[in-house]
Amino acid sequence: MLRHQAHTDVGHKRAVNEDSLLAEHPVYIVADGMGGHEAGDLASAAVVEAFRPLVGGAEVLPADVVAAVGRAQTAVERISAGRARGAGSTLSGIVLVNEQTQPAWLVLNVGDSRVYRLSGGELSRITHDHSLVQEMLDSGTLAPEDAADYVGRNVITRAIGAADARADYWMHPVITGERLLVCSDGLSGELPDEVLRVLLAMGGPVDSTASELLTQALLHGGRDNVSLIVIDVLNGGAADLGEGAGPDSGVGEHDTVDLLLEDTAKLPWRKGRGGGR
């Protein structure tokens, strides 16, 4: 049993909301469009539409999610081909899939939207940004305290619609009591992880928690479109599966498995500046 709440807002600085989201069981995704006023909103909407056939599905498999990513890439490529500045979109989220007869989260990511998980008061980020800033952080050429103000913070290295639309995938068990957050960088760029942790851990229901996250992002500047989905696993997760959920079963609280399902080349994109190819 899941409960969720989703919000999207144009923010204080942008004229158009280029974010789109889909929060209908079993699909919870956020797409952050690129390409300026003429294409960014179309690109993110096309990503969402590519996943809509999965909504309401009782037997969604990992291959179905990969196929949806492929449909999204094709759709955004068509939009991009008709625009001088191109078009693209991030894609991040979770889909409840059937894995060896048990439900599991298939976490996916292209770009710098994010998926977080709160459990036992601890917040962890499951996804890994595809961005210039993240690459510099990984290599040690940029200090974490300088990342928020770095001039290239809007450059991403993968995008749906670009030559590199390769998604990263992680398989994660569904754990009763966990809380998940899917968001665009309009939220994570305004609120540091510790603030996200505190707001998610306050214990309020998903609707009030999601509203407070949006409010705080806007109060802290609202410089970008803000989109977020908060999902609670109320029961029926691995913690409720008895002996089958024990440490010898391969299903554990921190048992997140990387999956390599696609491979293409890299191409940098700059978000928020009419990013083209």
Side-chain angles (χ1 to χ4, degrees), residues 208-225:
S208 60
T209 299
S211 295
E212 185 62 20
L213 285 165
L214 175 60
T215 297
Q216 290 300 318
L218 297 176
L219 287 175
H220 281 75
R223 293 168 291 181
D224 200 352
N225 308 145

Side-chain angles (χ1 to χ4, degrees), residues 26-29 51 54 60-67 69 92-99 103-109 115 126-127 168-174 182 256-261:
V27 182
Y28 306 89
I29 60 171
F51 278 79
L54 304 184
V60 176
L61 301 175
D64 299 325
V65 178
V66 175
V69 173
S92 195
I94 56 177
V95 181
L96 191 66
V97 299
N98 289 349
E99 177 64 14
W105 292 121
L106 182 57
V107 184
L108 65 154
N109 185 59
V115 176
I126 300 177
T127 55
D168 287 343
Y169 299 91
W170 300 264
M171 194 70 75
H172 182 81
V174 181
V182 182
T256 302
V257 181
D258 291 308
L259 303 175
L260 181 60
L261 301 178

Side-chain angles (χ1 to χ4, degrees), residues 219-245:
L219 287 175
H220 281 75
R223 293 168 291 181
D224 200 352
N225 308 145
V226 184
S227 294
L228 62 103
I229 310 168
V230 179
I231 307 104
D232 280 354
V233 181
L234 301 180
N235 59 52
D240 286 348
L241 297 180
E243 294 180 1

Side-chain angles (χ1 to χ4, degrees), residues 19-277:
D19 286 359
S20 297
L21 58 79
L22 179 59
E24 297 182 45
H25 186 79
V27 182
Y28 306 89
I29 60 171
V30 165
D32 180 356
M34 297 163 284
H37 301 325
E38 64 176 6
D41 54 339
L42 298 178
S44 65
V47 170
V48 163
E49 286 305 309
F51 278 79
R52 198 168 292 280
L54 304 184
V55 170
E59 292 279 336
V60 176
L61 301 175
D64 299 325
V65 178
V66 175
V69 173
R71 290 194 299 270
Q73 172 70 1
T74 299
V76 178
E77 282 181 340
R78 288 172 180 162
I79 295 170
S80 180
R83 272 55 179 195
R85 294 187 296 173
S89 179
T90 71
L91 165 62
S92 195
I94 56 177
V95 181
L96 191 66
V97 299
N98 289 349
E99 177 64 14
Q100 298 178 351
T101 74
Q102 291 186 350
W105 292 121
L106 182 57
V107 184
L108 65 154
N109 185 59
V110 184
D112 63 352
S113 295
R114 293 179 175 179
V115 176
Y116 291 88
R117 176 178 181 268
L118 180 80
S119 180
E122 297 296 322
L123 184 70
S124 58
R125 174 155 55 103
I126 300 177
T127 55
H128 193 75
D129 291 351
H130 304 134
S131 67
L132 178 60
V133 164
Q134 187 64 63
E135 290 185 354
M136 295 178 70
L137 289 171
D138 292 344
S139 66
T141 57
L142 181 67
E145 59 270 22
D146 297 329
D149 298 320
Y150 180 65
V151 67
R153 63 185 179 276
N154 292 324
V155 178
I156 64 174
T157 54
R158 298 188 202 175
I160 299 292
D164 189 350
R166 174 169 43 105
D168 287 343
Y169 299 91
W170 300 264
M171 194 70 75
H172 182 81
V174 181
I175 307 294
T176 295
E178 68 182 346
R179 169 169 280 184
L180 297 123
L181 169 67
V182 182
C183 65
S184 66
D185 69 332
L187 181 70
S188 59
E190 296 291 2
L191 303 179
D193 284 3
E194 178 57 20
V195 174
L196 293 177
R197 186 195 68 79
V198 170
L199 293 174
L200 289 167
M202 289 177 65
V206 289
D207 51 355
S208 60
T209 299
S211 295
E212 185 62 20
L213 285 165
L214 175 60
T215 297
Q216 290 300 318
L218 297 176
L219 287 175
H220 281 75
R223 293 168 291 181
D224 200 352
N225 308 145
V226 184
S227 294
L228 62 103
I229 310 168
V230 179
I231 307 104
D232 280 354
V233 181
L234 301 180
N235 59 52
D240 286 348
L241 297 180
E243 294 180 1
D248 295 332
S249 69
V251 178
E253 188 170 330
H254 303 290
D255 186 14
T256 302
V257 181
D258 291 308
L259 303 175
L260 181 60
L261 301 178
E262 298 181 40
D263 189 24
T264 54
K266 289 186 177 180
L267 180 70
W269 276 63
R270 182 177 297 275
K271 295 177 59 188
R273 314 227 176 144
R277 297 190 177 192

